[in-house]
Amino acid sequence: MFSPFGFIKQNLLYEESRCAANHALRVFMKNFKQLLNRNHVIFDGAMGTELQKRGLKPGEPSELFNFTSPEKVSEVIRAYAEAGSDIVSANTFCANRYKLSTIGKSPEEVIVRAVEIARGAVHDFPDVLVALDCGPIGQLLAPTGTLSFDEAYEIFAEVVKAGVKSGADLVVLQTFSDLLELKAAILAVKENSDLPLICSMTFEANKRTFTGCPVSAYAVTASALGADVIGVNCSLGPKELRPIADELIRFSGGTPVMVKPNAGLPDPVTGEFMLNAVDFAAEMQDLIIPNSLNSMNSFGVKITGGCCGTTPEYIKLLRNIANTANSSAVSAVGADYEGAAVCSGVKTVVLDRPRVIGERINPTGKRLFKEALINSDVDYILGQALEQTRAGADILDVNVGLPEIDEKHMMQKVIESLQGVCELPLQIDSGDPDVLESALRRYNGRPIVNSVNGKEESLASVLPLVKKYGAMVIGLTLDENGIPETAEARLEIARKILERALAVGLRKEDVIIDCLTLTVSTDSAAAQTTLKAVESVNRELGLKTALGVSNVSFGLPERELLNATFLTMALHNGLSLPIINPNDESVMGAVRAFNLLNGFDENASEFIGVYSQQEGRASNSSDSSKSGTNLSEISLQSAILSGLKKDGAEITSRLLETLHPMDIVNNELIPALDKAGNDFEKGLIFLPQLLLSAETAGVCFDKIKAEIGTSAQDKGTVILATVKGDIHDIGKNIVKVLLENYGYKIIDLGKDVSAETIADSVEKHGVRLVGLSALMTTTLPAMRQTIELLQERGLSCKVMVGGAILTADYADTIGADFYAKDAKGAVDIAKKLFSEKG
């Protein structure tokens, strides 16, 4: 233990060194890069659980200890340095304005103080770096939640600026589960500092975060955005994190990888983590010292440390293992995945074979689409996206350019809406750099930019945006002189685009070349010129290529025949990304057949899957009323499942003309929500889609309430609360949204709620069901105490409990009536309970 005097002495020494702060700022990046050149780097372990051992109360913000018990914070940090940590974290994980609102301190006050304490604690360890530790805000971003991207960015920027002022050596963003929130944080770091950046997300055993983000999408996005290290932390123990680390390394693109597991899984009864230091180190050994028999470990993890439940003892054993690693065994970086990749927040598409880019979200030549843009009819555009998704598109091109509208505003609105209902990666299509930047900034994942060209103005304005926001880019083979007539001239423009892309820091794999398709109706040699250019770009530059296929047949009859034939020829010449109408079965058939015959479709599974079940799909390459969402063709359930709020409301209004309102509720709304919940449980959809379906059902139900009054659906009242000491309420809020849209009245008591408050509310309202949530092992006793108090008072309500750390066995142990694994489980419990009489 360190005495207060010792702590003061350390800080006096630190104050003496503050005059060297500016010099330190000039060398921190060099120090970090030098650190990564070592065979292995050791991070620290848990902060919160160590402070709780030293008197931090459950639910109390650990940042408060920076002011009330600084010597205890210093003691923990120094212990990690003594154990062999190369990097230690300042006590700043929750130091954002949203989470600090309860202690009356600003982020700058907390962060400057915390870094001072950390710097003083490691004064005797000059090579140890101090990290600004930054966790998630604690609110879901739109469209899943209410927090806007710009608001999230400002919150993180405030944290980063304080970190720079404090003299932190680097920033670590960790325990994130929302990829878009992580992107906001990365941009805040990049735009407000020169600090090195480590970022880390937390995954469940299914290799996804609770918002549905896969490991691959995270790795592709964070690496492209310029993170110096990408990692995974929390949630699971070393053994459970192995397949996640494997996936992370595969998609790291050469970026060093960090792994910081928990000390196994927590015992739900005692709250103690199940792995002791020796067992933890044993499970971590193969991550530190590669094993040639294990494909993952043949590359090695660059940084290891610990998360919840780990202590300096754990870190000391990791240090001992790392000291035995030799430079020939450990790679400094991860493995490149095969081929480039793009992604949304929930789906990654690897460009390892021909992939279809859907072209229908574009107003050119489409009357109905133009009308939709002018009328801000986003549901029509969403319908186009869903239609192309069902038809087999891999990526969707998004173009909303129209003189009559604000393209920048509309692009931003459409991108956000599309990412709420559609899992496919997007290609942002605009000739306006301002529009591109606005969309790129808020895009969740890694998109393609369509496009740059050989003109100097385009190269200078577009390529830096592509680099900054980590996108891929399509380069058009035209310049100030127009489109060259020869394949050789187009190849030279492609070469110029590649050279300029490399000069701004893009990789060769980030560049796609469009050799431009011209109609053969005016030039019979046009197709051959394009095909030759595609083959040359593929062979001489080794780049992937894209083509707008249907241009070849413009002005001619039998366009489908010409398009399909030209596409087949182009694929044979190396075309990677055909931009086509996926609803045109002739061109989609050509792609499927090519993939099968070239060995991309293993066991013909995709080909058979499409054609064995297909009863005939009508091709629709023209702009007609059959495209988009036609209310006479889609059901209310389909609208709800697709998240089409406007269509859902209009269909509900139409159905109310002929059906009893409760028939609509029971036969349409509830079955749609049941299907969404079942699909969520099966992993077919993810949290954003589940919540959007619930919100769409809510819009429909509002129409019904307006027709017959608010008493139309009174299924029962449920009290929800996060227990005393726990400030996490995202899970509770998700349960609330789903239950409300099933027709239950919710009394939301919020977070950090005492047992007495919950019992008083039950008594006052006479409710039959209470839902208790907890995310922290240290607050599990509060859940037990709440249940015991309800029983002592003789209240007849039933209690369901839930949270990431709970199990069904533990729910039984503390006397809960039900265990809800997730939000859908909570709904099932409510349905069962309120269907019972009495």
Side-chain angles (χ1 to χ4, degrees):
M1 296 287 289
F2 284 86
S3 67
F5 176 77
F7 171 74
I8 293 170
K9 181 179 178 182
Q10 290 171 11
N11 277 278
L12 287 173
L13 290 170
Y14 170 67
E15 290 297 331
E16 293 174 4
S17 67
R18 284 181 66 94
C19 61
N22 290 334
H23 174 70
L25 286 173
R26 290 193 296 271
V27 301
F28 60 72
M29 178 64 81
K30 179 180 178 182
N31 289 344
F32 184 72
K33 295 297 184 184
Q34 290 174 343
L35 190 64
L36 291 183
N37 285 331
R38 295 184 185 177
N39 296 338
H40 196 78
V41 177
I42 298 296
F43 216 118
D44 59 13
M47 173 68 75
T49 49
E50 286 299 285
L51 292 180
Q52 286 165 5
K53 294 176 184 178
R54 292 162 173 81
L56 181 69
K57 297 176 182 178
E60 186 178 34
S62 65
E63 288 75 14
L64 192 60
F65 255 38
N66 294 329
F67 301 92
T68 61
S69 302
E71 72 284 353
K72 295 179 180 178
V73 177
S74 177
E75 180 182 340
V76 173
I77 295 172
R78 184 176 180 87
Y80 280 123
E82 290 175 337
S85 293
D86 298 303
I87 304 171
V88 295
S89 301
N91 183 27
T92 56
F93 181 75
C94 294
N96 65 68
R97 69 173 78 147
Y98 175 72
K99 288 185 175 178
L100 290 178
S101 59
T102 59
I103 67 171
K105 297 287 185 181
S106 71
E108 183 175 313
E109 288 179 282
V110 171
I111 290 168
V112 169
R113 183 61 174 151
V115 174
E116 285 180 356
I117 294 170
R119 189 71 70 193
V122 300
H123 185 271
D124 295 332
F125 304 89
D127 293 333
V128 173
L129 302 183
V130 174
L132 170 65
D133 187 10
C134 178
I137 295 168
Q139 295 189 68
L140 289 173
L141 268 66
T144 307
T146 58
L147 186 68
S148 74
F149 179 88
D150 292 339
E151 289 172 324
Y153 171 85
E154 290 301 326
I155 290 173
F156 287 122
E158 185 178 24
V159 172
V160 173
K161 291 174 185 177
V164 172
K165 183 175 181 178
S166 73
D169 295 316
L170 69 153
V171 178
V172 55
L173 306 171
Q174 59 180 331
T175 325
F176 281 68
S177 58
D178 183 341
L179 183 60
L180 188 59
E181 182 182 15
L182 179 65
K183 180 174 182 177
I186 291 174
L187 290 175
V189 174
K190 293 291 184 180
E191 293 177 354
N192 295 281
S193 80
D194 293 319
L195 295 173
L197 172 62
I198 298 174
C199 59
S200 182
M201 294 191 80
T202 182
F203 292 87
E204 299 175 6
N206 63 0
K207 298 184 183 179
R208 290 183 181 269
T209 69
F210 92 96
T211 61
C213 175
V215 177
S216 56
Y218 155 55
V220 167
T221 302
S223 296
L225 284 169
D228 296 291
V229 176
I230 60 174
V232 55
N233 75 292
C234 205
S235 293
L236 304 168
K239 187 180 298 182
E240 293 81 14
L241 276 183
R242 279 175 173 273
I244 294 170
D246 193 2
E247 190 88 346
L248 188 63
I249 290 171
R250 181 188 168 212
F251 284 91
S252 66
T255 302
V257 168
M258 176 183 78
V259 177
K260 291 182 62 182
N262 287 348
L265 301 175
D267 185 321
V269 176
T270 65
E272 297 293 326
F273 286 85
M274 297 181 180
L275 281 182
N276 61 36
V278 173
D279 292 339
F280 179 85
E283 292 191 7
M284 291 290 288
Q285 181 165 340
D286 285 347
L287 291 171
I288 298 174
I289 302 178
N291 181 344
S292 61
L293 299 179
N294 184 310
S295 61
M296 173 185 70
N297 294 325
S298 64
F299 303 106
V301 171
K302 189 60 176 176
I303 302 177
T304 53
C307 204
C308 300
T310 60
T311 70
E313 182 185 3
Y314 290 66
I315 301 306
K316 183 176 181 179
L317 294 180
L318 292 186
R319 176 82 272 168
N320 292 342
I321 296 171
N323 288 341
T324 67
N326 60 73
S327 58
S328 63
V330 182
S331 170
V333 297
D336 281 318
Y337 51 88
E338 295 181 4
V342 292
C343 65
S344 66
V346 296
K347 184 179 179 66
T348 302
V349 174
V350 179
L351 306 185
D352 56 352
R353 63 177 188 173
R355 300 290 187 179
V356 171
I357 299 178
E359 67 180 6
R360 295 293 296 170
I361 304 178
N362 189 315
T364 304
K366 303 181 182 72
R367 177 181 58 83
L368 292 179
F369 198 101
K370 291 178 180 178
E371 292 177 1
L373 288 176
I374 293 171
N375 297 325
S376 293
D377 185 359
V378 175
D379 271 15
Y380 178 89
I381 300 171
L382 300 183
Q384 292 280 354
L386 295 170
E387 187 179 69
Q388 292 181 95
T389 301
R390 288 190 291 267
D394 298 299
I395 301 164
L396 298 180
D397 185 85
V398 182
N399 184 314
V400 296
L402 204 63
E404 296 94 328
I405 67 169
D406 181 343
E407 183 186 359
K408 181 177 177 180
H409 173 74
M410 180 59 72
M411 180 68 86
Q412 186 175 328
K413 182 178 180 180
V414 168
I415 291 290
E416 181 177 303
S417 299
L418 282 172
Q419 293 210 283
V421 305
C422 177
E423 66 175 14
L424 297 185
L426 303 180
Q427 176 170 284
I428 302 170
D429 187 350
S430 176
D432 186 335
D434 287 340
V435 174
L436 287 176
E437 178 158 28
S438 175
L440 284 168
R441 188 172 186 82
R442 295 163 181 83
Y443 178 83
N444 189 9
R446 188 185 196 214
I448 301 174
V449 168
N450 188 11
S451 55
V452 70
N453 59 56
K455 296 179 181 179
E456 185 59 37
E457 181 182 4
S458 177
L459 292 168
S461 61
V462 175
L463 289 179
L465 294 178
V466 175
K467 171 59 179 175
K468 176 179 179 179
Y469 294 106
M472 296 185 69
V473 64
I474 290 182
L476 306 182
T477 53
L478 62 86
D479 57 16
E480 287 82 357
N481 297 316
I483 302 174
E485 295 182 357
T486 67
E488 291 77 11
R490 295 184 198 182
L491 173 63
E492 288 311 305
I493 294 177
R495 194 187 308 277
K496 176 184 177 181
I497 292 171
L498 174 60
E499 290 173 353
R500 293 293 293 273
L502 295 175
V504 301
L506 291 169
R507 303 178 308 161
K508 181 177 179 180
E509 293 82 5
D510 300 330
V511 180
I512 304 161
I513 296 297
D514 187 337
C515 294
L516 300 173
T517 305
L518 303 178
T519 179
V520 293
S521 64
T522 57
D523 181 2
S524 59
Q528 286 299 313
T529 299
T530 298
L531 293 172
K532 183 178 179 181
V534 168
E535 190 276 333
S536 297
V537 167
N538 194 323
R539 173 172 45 82
E540 296 193 27
L541 301 181
L543 298 180
K544 299 188 182 302
T545 54
L547 283 177
V549 173
S550 62
N551 293 340
V552 75
S553 63
F554 185 79
L556 292 170
E558 297 296 331
R559 294 193 66 186
E560 292 181 6
L561 174 62
L562 286 171
N563 292 344
T565 304
F566 175 68
L567 173 57
T568 301
M569 297 169 71
L571 291 170
H572 180 71
N573 277 36
L575 177 63
S576 315
L577 296 164
I579 305 174
I580 59 177
N581 177 7
N583 304 314
D584 184 338
E585 182 52 42
S586 60
V587 290
M588 287 299 291
V591 174
R592 294 188 188 108
F594 180 87
N595 284 338
L596 172 59
L597 297 174
N598 280 272
F600 296 123
D601 184 2
E602 189 173 351
N603 300 320
S605 57
E606 294 180 19
F607 192 87
I608 293 171
V610 170
Y611 293 107
S612 64
Q613 301 176 16
Q614 193 177 75
E615 297 177 358
R617 181 181 298 149
S619 176
N620 177 33
S621 58
S622 63
D623 183 29
S624 72
S625 62
K626 293 182 180 179
S627 293
T629 52
N630 187 329
L631 299 190
S632 64
E633 296 179 355
I634 66 172
S635 67
L636 181 55
Q637 289 192 38
S638 295
I640 292 171
L641 292 170
S642 298
L644 303 177
K645 296 179 183 178
K646 180 181 177 182
D647 286 353
E650 292 179 2
I651 295 171
T652 301
S653 295
R654 193 181 70 227
L655 292 177
L656 283 169
E657 296 174 2
T658 58
L659 296 176
H660 188 279
M662 291 312 299
D663 287 340
I664 300 174
V665 171
N666 294 326
N667 299 330
E668 297 287 343
L669 269 63
I670 299 302
L673 287 171
D674 284 344
K675 177 167 175 36
N678 290 332
D679 287 349
F680 174 73
E681 287 186 333
K682 295 175 182 176
L684 301 176
I685 64 171
F686 305 101
L687 183 62
Q689 292 88 351
L690 176 67
L691 291 181
L692 190 59
S693 291
E695 291 167 4
T696 305
V699 170
C700 299
F701 187 63
D702 286 343
K703 286 285 183 182
I704 293 172
K705 288 193 291 186
E707 179 74 15
I708 62 173
T710 57
S711 62
Q713 190 183 31
D714 185 10
K715 290 196 165 186
T717 302
V718 182
I719 286 177
L720 296 179
T722 301
V723 298
K724 182 65 179 176
D726 204 316
I727 60 172
H728 301 87
D729 62 354
I730 288 178
K732 171 186 66 65
N733 293 341
I734 292 168
V735 172
K736 176 183 176 182
V737 169
L738 210 56
L739 283 171
E740 283 180 333
N741 286 290
Y742 265 90
Y744 298 98
K745 179 182 176 182
I746 303 301
I747 299 174
D748 185 359
L749 299 181
K751 58 190 177 184
D752 191 19
V753 184
S754 69
E756 291 77 13
T757 299
I758 295 170
D760 290 346
S761 184
V762 171
E763 198 163 7
K764 177 180 177 180
H765 298 285
V767 300
R768 295 178 58 195
L769 181 61
V770 176
L772 302 178
S773 173
L775 185 66
M776 303 162 60
T777 55
T778 53
T779 60
L780 290 178
M783 185 173 279
R784 179 195 293 269
Q785 292 162 10
T786 301
I787 295 173
E788 289 174 349
L789 182 60
L790 291 171
Q791 293 170 346
E792 287 172 9
R793 290 197 185 182
L795 299 173
S796 59
C797 64
K798 301 294 185 182
V799 179
M800 64 177 175
V801 296
I805 57 171
L806 269 73
T807 65
D809 288 342
Y810 182 69
D812 289 338
T813 301
I814 63 175
D817 300 287
F818 304 104
Y819 164 67
K821 179 183 177 183
D822 49 34
K824 173 59 168 53
V827 170
D828 291 341
I829 291 166
K831 287 166 67 176
K832 177 182 179 182
L833 178 65
F834 287 103
S835 66
E836 299 172 356
K837 295 183 179 180

